[in-house]
């Protein structure tokens, strides 16, 4: 949970720079326009009460001319109210979308920066389901913030306007008590203050548990969505091992968490509804009842009675803003805390990695054409040593087979990529020569197959001839006709096809350095040999580190790096790459 004492400060620090951003002139113009339109809404509300008083006075006096006058005025009020309300709605929506767009872009920029989306997984904190926090919680945080800000300003203006009107209508009431005559000025104002303040305190006390209940429910909903998405993305693996029963049990457990959180929120909501339903009925009757004695005694006209009742209601409504917005405030705060949780984790990660630390791997780029591992130590995110004492120098064109514990080998590759900073020692990268990583399953994003293959470059980065040649060499020439077809390729293609497309991508990019982590494990031994031979033929000068379980791969790797437990060794074997 975010520290409540610094909640608003943290939110302003995160989202406040929106008003000083690149489009600040437009943003400020929209904000000012929204304020002016809010003032106009108050003006119309005041005019309506004046019109109501004049109407009831005309009715009380049986005046047809007065009635016709009020009919003409209500048409003008009607037109003005439609224009102001519609324009206000459009301006508010535009401002809400602009703020959401700005904050979403900022968080995505933090999350999708230099591998932070991967590294933040290993940081302790409440930042689970970052996709839901960015997609849904940012929406609620920005939209509700503007809604609440507008309604609070509206209530303050309403309070200022109708307090003056109600004070004037109240006149002076004399209270006889124990033989003393006590004059009370603005008695309806004081009654409205006592009435609304009492209601606000009771409402806050009754609804104080709603924020925590809402936060819990949003977290449980996000966990359930993630579980369903994860199962969908791994549907084939689940089907092959007949894991449906296990998944159903897991989904039931996740949904039971939602039921528990839902029931907690329902209890909190029910308590608020009990109060608000009674409060709404009382608010309708109370102002008329307290003003009626003066009308009955002939001190005021019917119009003044109705205007007093309406002004009392408006003033009480303004003072009841905290009660009326308890649920929205709870939902908004819960979402803001989830957004702040993600931002806090990303900022903490940046601070952690930017500060010098003895248990951090240094990445350097000296002016050299070799990859050097100097006293490299790899730790887990809990700072426990996994492997240490790695010293190796790998030249361009050399192929090194990484053997032993493949999990440690995977962390070594992540360390070379700059994604695993936990450890010690130094990795010296070849200057200006980007590493090309081949994971067990390459990322093939949805869209055209052409754009999926060319990723992360643009869809037109490579010519048709280059694509066709690479597809043919990698053994997937049958996909040429589907290059411009749109689909979710990561799901529709088999693992073998995906890995061969990873080879296509390699042939197109022609890198100087290759790190292949079980990149061809779904192929037959003969298929993997053909891919390794193709790399040797097409990219003879590329340095390569390979993790694989196929013994046939040794023939293509003259050197071997053994990673086992907390030790390692590297040796050179008299094997020629064929």
């Amino acid at each position: 949970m975010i520290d409540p004492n610094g909640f608003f400060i943290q939110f302003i620090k995160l989202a406040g720079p929106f008003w000083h951003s690149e489009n600040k002139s437009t943003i400020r113009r929209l904000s000012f326009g929204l304020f002016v339109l809010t003032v106009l809404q108050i003006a119309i509300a005041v005019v309506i009460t004046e019109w109501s008083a004049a109407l009831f006075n005309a009715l009380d006096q049986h005046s047809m001319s007065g009635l016709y006058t009020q009919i003409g005025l209500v048409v003008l009020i009607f037109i003005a109210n439609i224009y102001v309300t519609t324009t206000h709605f459009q301006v508010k929506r535009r401002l809400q979308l602009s703020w959401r767009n700005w904050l979403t872009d900022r968080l995505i920029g933090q999350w999708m920066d230099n591998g932070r989306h991967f590294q933040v997984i290993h940081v302790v904190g409440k930042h689970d389901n970052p996709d839901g926090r960015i997609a849904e919680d940012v929406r609620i945080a920005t939209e509700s913030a503007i809604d609440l800000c507008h309604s609070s300003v509206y209530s303050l203006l309403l309070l200022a306007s109708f307090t003056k009107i109600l004070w004037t209508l109240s006149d002076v009431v004399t209270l006889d008590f124990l033989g003393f005559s006590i004059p009370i000025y603005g008695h309806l104002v004081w009654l409205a203050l006592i009435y609304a303040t009492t209601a606000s305190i009771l409402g806050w006390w009754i609804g104080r548990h709603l924020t925590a209940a809402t936060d819990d429910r949003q977290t449980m909903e996000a966990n359930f969505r993630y579980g369903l998405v994860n199962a969908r993305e791994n549907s084939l693996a689940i089907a092959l091992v007949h894991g449906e029963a296990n998944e159903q049990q897991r989904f039931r457990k996740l949904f039971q968490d939602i039921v528990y959180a839902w029931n907690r929120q329902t209890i909190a909501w029910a308590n608020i509804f009990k109060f608000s339903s009674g409060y709404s009925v009382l608010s309708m009757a109370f102002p008329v009842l307290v003003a009626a004695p003066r009308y009955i005694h002939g001190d005021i006209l019917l119009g003044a009675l109705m205007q007093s009742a309406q002004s009392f209601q408006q003033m009480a409504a303004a003072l009841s803003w905290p009660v009326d917005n308890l649920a929205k405030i709870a939902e908004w705060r819960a979402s803001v805390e989830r957004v702040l949780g993600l931002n806090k984790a990303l900022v903490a990660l940046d601070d952690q990695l930017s500060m010098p630390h003895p248990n951090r791997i240094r990445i350097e780029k000296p002016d050299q054409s070799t990859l050097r591992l100097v006293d490299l130590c790899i730790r887990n995110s809990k700072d426990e040593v996994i492997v240490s004492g790695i010293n190796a120098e790998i030249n361009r064109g050399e192929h090194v087979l990484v053997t032993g514990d493949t999990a440690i080998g995977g962390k070594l590759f992540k360390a070379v990529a700059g994604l695993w900073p936990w450890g010690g020692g130094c990795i010296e990268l070849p200057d200006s020569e980007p590493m090309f990583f081949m994971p067990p399953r390459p990322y093939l994003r949805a869209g055209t197959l052409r754009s999926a293959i060319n990723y992360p470059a643009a869809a037109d980065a490579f010519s048709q001839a280059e694509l066709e040649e690479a597809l043919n060499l990698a053994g997937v020439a049958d996909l040429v006709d589907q290059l411009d077809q749109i689909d979710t390729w990561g799901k529709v293609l088999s693992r073998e096809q995906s890995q061969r497309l990873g080879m296509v991508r390699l042939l197109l990019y022609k890198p100087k350095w290759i790190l292949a982590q079980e990149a061809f494990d779904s192929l037959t031994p003969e298929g993997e040999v053909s891919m390794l031979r193709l790399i040797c033929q097409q990219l003879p000068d590329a340095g390569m580190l390979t993790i694989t379980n196929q013994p046939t791969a040794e023939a293509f790797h003259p050197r071997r790096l053994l990673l086992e437990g907390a030790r390692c060794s590297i040796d050179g074997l008299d094997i020629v790459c064929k």
Side-chain angles (χ1 to χ4, degrees):
M1 185 70 69
I2 304 299
D3 177 12
N5 296 321
F7 173 76
F8 287 104
I9 294 175
Q10 291 180 58
F11 178 67
I12 290 170
K13 283 182 178 179
L14 173 65
F18 167 68
W19 272 265
H20 304 284
S21 60
E22 184 178 341
N23 297 322
K24 60 184 179 183
S25 59
T26 302
I27 293 165
R28 292 173 183 177
R29 188 165 58 250
L30 288 172
S31 303
F32 179 73
L34 193 64
F35 176 77
V36 171
L37 289 165
T38 302
V39 172
L40 290 175
Q41 286 181 322
I42 296 296
I44 290 173
V46 171
V47 169
I48 288 174
T49 60
E50 298 286 350
W51 172 85
S52 176
L55 173 65
F56 280 101
N57 284 335
L59 294 175
D60 196 29
Q61 296 165 6
H62 304 282
S63 172
M64 286 302 297
S65 61
L67 178 63
Y68 292 144
T69 300
Q70 299 312 312
I71 291 173
L73 288 174
V74 79
V75 172
L76 296 176
I77 295 172
F78 173 78
I79 295 170
N81 192 52
I82 288 177
Y83 175 77
V84 170
T85 303
T86 304
T87 307
H88 180 277
F89 175 76
Q90 292 173 333
V91 171
K92 185 181 73 170
R93 293 273 292 182
R94 184 177 172 187
L95 192 60
Q96 286 174 323
L97 183 60
S98 297
W99 198 7
R100 180 188 177 187
N101 179 53
W102 178 87
L103 185 54
T104 299
D105 188 62
R106 176 173 177 175
L107 280 176
I108 288 177
Q110 288 179 286
W111 185 49
M112 279 289 166
D113 178 48
N114 202 25
R116 294 294 186 261
H117 53 95
F118 169 78
Q119 293 167 333
V120 76
I121 299 171
H122 305 279
V123 175
V124 177
K126 295 187 70 174
H127 49 77
D128 57 321
N129 302 310
D131 53 325
R133 293 172 188 254
I134 293 173
E136 184 65 12
D137 290 310
V138 166
R139 180 189 66 79
I140 295 173
T142 52
E143 288 183 8
S144 296
I146 290 177
D147 281 337
L148 290 169
C149 185
H150 161 254
S151 62
S152 63
V153 171
Y154 181 87
S155 295
L156 288 172
L157 294 173
L158 202 68
L159 182 63
S161 301
F162 283 97
T163 297
K164 181 180 179 181
I165 294 173
L166 195 60
W167 186 277
T168 303
L169 292 171
S170 298
D171 204 358
V172 182
V173 173
T174 302
L175 178 65
D176 294 323
F177 182 72
L178 298 177
F180 295 95
S181 295
I182 304 173
I184 300 177
Y185 296 87
H187 70 286
L188 290 177
V189 173
W190 299 115
L191 282 173
L193 284 169
I194 294 169
Y195 175 81
T197 302
T198 303
S200 296
I201 293 172
L202 286 173
W204 172 83
W205 183 79
I206 292 170
R208 65 192 187 281
H209 299 300
L210 186 58
T211 298
T214 301
D215 188 20
D216 287 345
R217 184 197 161 188
Q218 288 177 342
T219 300
M220 297 306 124
E221 293 279 6
N223 291 341
F224 184 60
R225 285 196 305 269
Y226 177 79
L228 294 173
V229 170
N230 187 52
R232 184 194 68 193
E233 292 176 346
N234 296 277
S235 59
L236 178 59
I238 294 170
L240 290 174
V241 298
H242 304 290
E244 289 84 359
N246 186 288
E247 292 302 311
Q248 289 179 29
Q249 184 178 0
R250 184 166 68 98
F251 294 153
R252 291 191 189 100
K253 172 62 174 62
L254 289 172
F255 196 80
Q256 282 305 310
D257 292 340
I258 292 178
V259 171
Y260 174 73
W262 176 279
N263 290 335
R264 279 191 62 198
Q265 191 185 40
T266 300
I267 293 171
W269 271 100
N271 290 332
I272 291 176
F273 285 150
K274 287 175 186 176
F275 172 77
S276 60
S277 59
Y279 178 74
S280 63
V281 173
L282 189 60
S283 296
M284 182 175 56
F286 186 75
V288 176
L289 294 176
V290 297
R294 295 184 68 210
Y295 173 72
I296 293 172
H297 287 102
D299 296 333
I300 56 174
L301 297 174
L302 179 61
L305 170 65
M306 300 310 299
Q307 189 178 15
S308 297
Q310 289 177 349
S311 299
F312 187 99
Q313 288 176 329
Q314 295 281 27
M315 186 177 172
L319 289 168
S320 302
W321 181 87
V323 178
D324 296 337
N325 289 279
L326 269 175
K328 193 158 195 172
I329 290 171
E331 182 187 36
W332 172 74
R333 174 153 186 160
S335 290
V336 169
E337 286 182 345
R338 286 173 57 78
V339 173
L340 289 175
L342 176 59
N343 177 70
K344 185 178 180 181
L346 292 169
V347 170
L349 179 62
D350 278 337
D351 292 342
Q352 180 186 17
L353 298 183
S354 63
M355 293 175 60
H357 193 284
N359 292 339
R360 295 290 178 268
I361 298 171
R362 301 192 320 277
I363 304 290
E364 298 179 358
K365 287 189 176 182
D367 187 11
Q368 62 185 33
S369 60
T370 61
L371 171 63
R372 296 184 66 216
L373 311 177
V374 183
D375 294 327
L376 184 63
C377 169
I378 299 178
R379 299 170 177 265
N380 59 24
S381 56
K382 299 178 181 178
D383 266 349
E384 299 168 342
V385 174
I386 298 175
V387 66
S388 62
I390 305 177
N391 288 279
E393 182 172 323
I394 303 164
N395 298 311
R396 278 269 305 276
E398 287 190 324
H399 290 191
V400 176
L401 183 64
V402 181
T403 61
D405 192 326
T406 56
I408 298 176
K411 285 186 172 58
L412 171 63
F413 279 17
K414 293 181 180 72
V416 173
L419 298 178
W420 196 267
W422 298 281
C426 179
I427 298 175
E428 296 181 1
L429 298 176
D431 187 33
S432 302
E433 295 182 8
M435 298 283 175
F436 189 94
F437 292 86
M438 301 183 70
R441 183 148 195 167
Y443 172 57
L444 300 171
R445 70 176 185 182
T448 64
L449 181 58
R450 185 187 304 274
S451 64
I453 294 172
N454 292 351
Y455 183 86
D460 58 354
F462 302 100
S463 67
Q464 179 75 14
E466 289 175 308
L467 282 166
E468 290 183 8
E469 181 185 5
L471 287 165
N472 184 58
L473 288 171
V476 280
D478 56 307
L479 296 177
V480 170
D481 295 337
Q482 302 180 52
L483 282 174
D484 294 310
Q485 182 176 323
I486 297 175
D487 214 326
T488 51
W489 299 106
K491 298 174 184 176
V492 300
L493 295 177
S494 68
R495 185 180 176 90
E496 178 181 350
Q497 287 176 309
S498 296
Q499 291 189 341
R500 288 184 180 273
L501 286 181
M503 184 67 195
V504 171
R505 191 179 286 166
L506 176 70
L507 294 174
L508 292 171
Y509 277 88
K510 297 180 173 60
K512 301 297 182 183
W513 291 90
I514 306 166
L515 278 76
Q517 180 183 359
E518 298 174 311
F520 308 115
D521 63 346
S522 66
L523 277 64
T524 62
E526 293 77 14
E528 181 168 15
V529 166
S530 67
M531 292 297 102
L532 293 172
R533 181 177 292 114
L534 185 60
I535 293 173
C536 290
Q537 293 170 350
Q538 298 294 320
L539 304 168
D541 297 327
M544 184 171 180
L545 278 76
T546 305
I547 299 174
T548 180
N549 294 315
Q550 293 289 357
T552 51
E554 292 184 0
F556 296 89
H557 299 80
R559 303 178 67 192
R560 185 168 59 221
L561 175 62
L562 173 64
L563 301 175
E564 190 174 25
R567 66 186 182 86
C568 71
S569 64
I570 186 165
D571 58 26
L573 304 178
D574 187 19
I575 299 177
V576 180
C577 182
K578 299 179 182 179

